[in-house]
């Protein structure tokens, strides 16, 4: 049985995950900090829209950049449920996220997976091109320095990839 986007959504709430190397330690007893001029979400603006206003993010409890990405999403009107889990690698395998595209967190936006620190412009583009039902999600592999939740925007473009359930990937470019 293949994992379709609809089947994925029915299984998504029960999934668990662990963080990948490179995440910053952030203890759970630290107070939440509102974004300010020093925040990694500073400078990341978005005026578009997507047809969902909620998301679920799976990540390890010690990952500080994952929390920064949640702040970025929430700053732009997305209500995020955080699922801190113990075996992220197993979740990513179950969800069909290709190994070479993996990052420190996976976020579910409706029928689509968003792997890593992907700008909302790219998420919006996936929904706008929703006629391609083979697309399971998009990803920015690793933890690029100038991505939402990792630092302010820079002049270089971020490489965004789309992927299918079968593991096929296509490279795209975003701002």
């Amino acid at each position: 049985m293949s994992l379709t986007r609809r089947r994925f959504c029915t299984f998504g709430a029960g999934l668990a995950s662990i963080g990948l190397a490179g995440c910053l330690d952030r203890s759970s007893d630290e107070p939440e900090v509102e974004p300010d001029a020093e925040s990694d979400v500073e400078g990341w603006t978005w005026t578009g829209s997507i047809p969902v206003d909620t998301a679920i993010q799976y990540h390890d409890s010690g990952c500080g950049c994952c929390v920064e990405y949640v702040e970025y999403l929430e700053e732009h009107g997305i209500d995020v449920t955080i699922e801190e889990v113990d075996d992220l690698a197993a979740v990513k395998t179950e969800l069909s996220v290709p190994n070479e595209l993996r990052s420190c967190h996976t976020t579910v936006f409706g029928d689509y997976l968003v792997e890593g620190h992907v700008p909302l412009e790219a998420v919006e583009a996936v929904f706008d091109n929703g006629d391609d039902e083979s697309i399971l999600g998009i990803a920015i592999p690793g933890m690029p320095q100038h991505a939402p939740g990792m630092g302010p925007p820079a002049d270089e473009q971020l490489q965004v990839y789309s992927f299918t359930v079968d593991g096929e990937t296509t490279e795209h470019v975003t701002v």
Side-chain angles (χ1 to χ4, degrees):
M1 171 193 303
S2 67
L3 181 66
T4 65
R5 288 187 295 163
R6 294 206 192 319
R7 283 190 192 122
F8 158 72
C9 289
T10 62
F11 298 126
L15 298 174
S17 59
I18 61 169
L20 299 175
C23 293
L24 302 174
D25 183 33
R26 183 179 204 141
S27 81
S28 60
D29 58 347
E30 288 182 23
E32 291 222 7
V33 178
E34 291 297 317
D36 60 22
E38 299 299 314
S39 173
D40 285 340
V41 298
E42 181 68 25
W44 286 100
T45 59
W46 175 66
T47 58
S49 66
I50 58 175
V52 297
D53 57 1
T54 62
I56 301 170
Q57 181 176 287
Y58 298 95
H59 70 251
D60 179 67
S61 63
C63 187
C65 67
C66 296
V67 174
E68 292 289 328
Y69 189 71
V70 168
E71 289 176 5
Y72 163 72
L73 298 176
E74 289 178 340
E75 192 173 278
H76 290 95
I78 308 295
D79 182 28
V80 181
T81 300
I82 297 171
E83 295 286 336
E84 293 179 351
V85 292
D86 295 327
D87 193 356
L88 184 56
V91 170
K92 291 175 187 294
T93 298
E94 177 70 24
L95 297 177
S96 301
V97 177
N99 287 333
E100 67 274 13
L101 298 183
R102 292 182 181 188
S103 184
C104 58
H105 59 265
T106 302
T107 309
V108 180
F109 288 86
D111 288 343
Y112 295 105
L113 297 176
V114 174
E115 182 68 15
H117 296 267
V118 178
L120 283 166
E121 290 84 357
V123 176
E124 181 178 14
V126 169
F127 280 101
D128 287 349
N129 297 316
D131 54 338
D132 185 350
E133 293 188 17
S134 68
I135 299 296
L136 178 60
I138 58 175
I140 293 183
M143 300 171 67
Q145 182 177 5
H146 296 289
M150 293 298 294
D155 291 336
E156 68 265 10
Q157 293 183 316
L158 297 168
Q159 297 303 127
V160 178
Y161 298 82
S162 62
F163 59 93
T164 67
V165 173
D166 299 329
E168 294 178 31
T169 63
T170 304
E171 184 176 347
H172 305 276
V173 177
T174 189
V175 187

